[in-house]
Amino acid sequence: MRRWDPAQDQWTRHQRRIAAAGAPEPPTAQVAGFEDYPRFYAKRRRGRVVDVASSFDVLVRSARGGWAAGTTVTATHQAPDGHPVLLDGSTPDRSCGSSRWVPEVPGGPVAELVAALRTLRALGASPGPGIQEGVVRGSWAERSQEAWLERGVRPRVDGFRVGCALGPGHEGPCTARAQLGDLAWRWDPREQVVLDGDPPGSPDA
């Protein structure tokens, strides 16, 4: 017989159903570099976040925001800058405002890109500010990229943030392209999905 929990006995049917399903996996769980990041959970209703917690058990026990039918719980990884790896934010009107975290995996294409840009900087031949092409000047993404290039980051920070270079209200996934080569980062902030693996010629590219 289960132990009586007066708080749990007040749960709604929908709340019990979500608790029984267990903690969801972040859509970025299989993305290289994100595996060991801490997770946090968001309660959503009609696409709007109504509650967040670093623990699924804490979130599912919380009454904040209610548990009406249609309420969902999503999981995301937390980047070393303390924010979700995929984040919507406010920037000047000329860009969409979404950003994502890019970890520099040793030996990977991002590490090669950063090494090349640091070399060009040392020679006074940098192609432009930051790591991505067309980064918004003064934006959070630019500051993050400049700090990474200059090695001016806190311990345990393993990369930088890139910002979507497309206009506000654009269709399709968010996109940021590297200063050099054909490396590009693509993501869907609404679905919290990284799309880097899609081929350049795909319909979503």
Side-chain angles (χ1 to χ4, degrees):
M1 176 179 286
R2 89 175 161 86
R3 183 178 179 181
W4 181 64
D5 182 343
Q8 187 170 334
D9 280 356
Q10 297 175 18
W11 287 8
T12 69
R13 182 178 302 175
H14 190 62
Q15 187 177 6
R16 292 174 186 275
R17 188 158 46 241
I18 288 178
E25 283 283 301
T28 50
Q30 305 304 317
V31 178
F34 290 171
E35 305 95 328
D36 297 326
Y37 288 176
R39 302 178 181 191
F40 66 90
Y41 301 87
K43 183 196 299 185
R44 297 173 180 268
R45 187 162 58 251
R46 300 187 186 94
R48 186 171 64 90
V49 175
V50 295
D51 195 12
V52 295
S54 59
S55 161
F56 175 75
D57 288 339
V58 169
L59 183 71
V60 83
R61 289 175 179 274
S62 170
R64 188 182 298 114
W67 287 97
T71 302
T72 61
V73 172
T74 59
T76 186
H77 283 115
Q78 179 177 320
D81 63 358
H83 296 278
V85 292
L86 304 183
L87 180 66
D88 281 331
S90 58
T91 62
D93 291 341
R94 61 183 180 275
S95 67
C96 102
S98 178
S99 68
R100 63 159 285 192
W101 188 259
V102 177
E104 184 179 308
V105 179
V110 174
E112 294 177 1
L113 168 68
V114 170
L117 288 171
R118 284 175 174 158
T119 299
L120 290 174
R121 281 193 163 209
L123 297 173
S126 176
I131 296 171
Q132 76 172 90
E133 182 182 77
V135 64
V136 176
R137 300 302 298 267
S139 67
W140 187 8
E142 185 198 32
R143 293 193 296 271
S144 172
Q145 293 170 35
E146 289 291 328
W148 187 248
L149 287 173
E150 297 296 331
R151 298 184 172 90
V153 298
R154 302 188 310 274
R156 293 188 295 277
V157 171
D158 64 356
F160 52 91
R161 196 167 282 278
V162 296
C164 179
L166 302 178
H170 67 84
E171 295 184 1
C174 291
T175 302
R177 299 188 182 279
Q179 289 272 19
L180 301 174
D182 57 2
L183 184 61
W185 301 281
R186 300 170 60 251
W187 67 98
D188 182 336
R190 179 179 293 275
E191 298 297 330
Q192 292 284 298
V193 175
V194 168
L195 304 168
D196 294 349
D198 290 352
S202 67
D204 290 333

